Amino acid sequence: FLVTIPNGKVMIAYQFEQALGFYKGTAPVRVFGTERNFSCRLINKEGKFINDKVYYEILPFKAGFARAFINGSGYGLLDEKGNEFLPCKYNMEDYGTQTDWFVHDRLVIREVKSQSAWIIDKNKDTISILKPYIAGYFVHDHSRANAFLPYIYGYSEQGQPIIVTGK
C-alpha cells in the first residue's frame, strides 16, 4: 500500500498489507500478519493509527460508517474518528446498499448468541423487536437495480417466516 499524490510525491509509504479508501481523512488498513490473525486498524492521511483499537476485519466506509468485526465477539459500526457507533457484539443480517450499511435508514442487528433481534435507525433508536428470530434480510426489489423494499423477510427459531415493515 503506497499513497502518492498527482505530482508523484509519496504521502504514505508502503507499510500495510491492505488499505481501503479514505473517508473524511480516515481509512481502514490491514497490518502485515498471518491470514488467521488479521489485524485491522484505522489510519489518518499521514498513515498514523488514529487509536489503539484492533479488529479482525474492517470493511469500507459507507455513509459515514465502517463495518468492523472482532473474532468471537461480533460485528459493529465505526465512525470516521474510530468511535464504535455500535460495539462489536452483533450479527448484522444485511450488507446494506452500495452506499449505506442501513437500508431505508434501518439496520437489523442481533446480539451474538441471542434469539432476539432489533431494527434500529441511525439514532440507535429501536424501531422494532423481533423475537424469536434467527435470520432475515431486506427484500430486494428486482425491478430496480440495487434497490430494496421497506420489508424484512426473516425466519423464526421454529422456521416460520416473519415479515416486518422496515419503515
Side-chain angles (χ1 to χ4, degrees), residues 133-148:
Y133 181 81
I134 297 299
Y137 50 87
F138 277 89
V139 178
H140 187 261
D141 182 352
H142 294 285
S143 67
R144 296 180 297 154
N146 303 312
F148 293 87

Side-chain angles (χ1 to χ4, degrees), residues 56 69-75 88-91 112-113:
Y56 182 81
F69 178 72
I70 295 177
N71 207 10
S73 295
Y75 290 94
C88 292
K89 65 177 190 174
Y90 298 102
N91 289 325
V112 173
K113 299 181 183 176

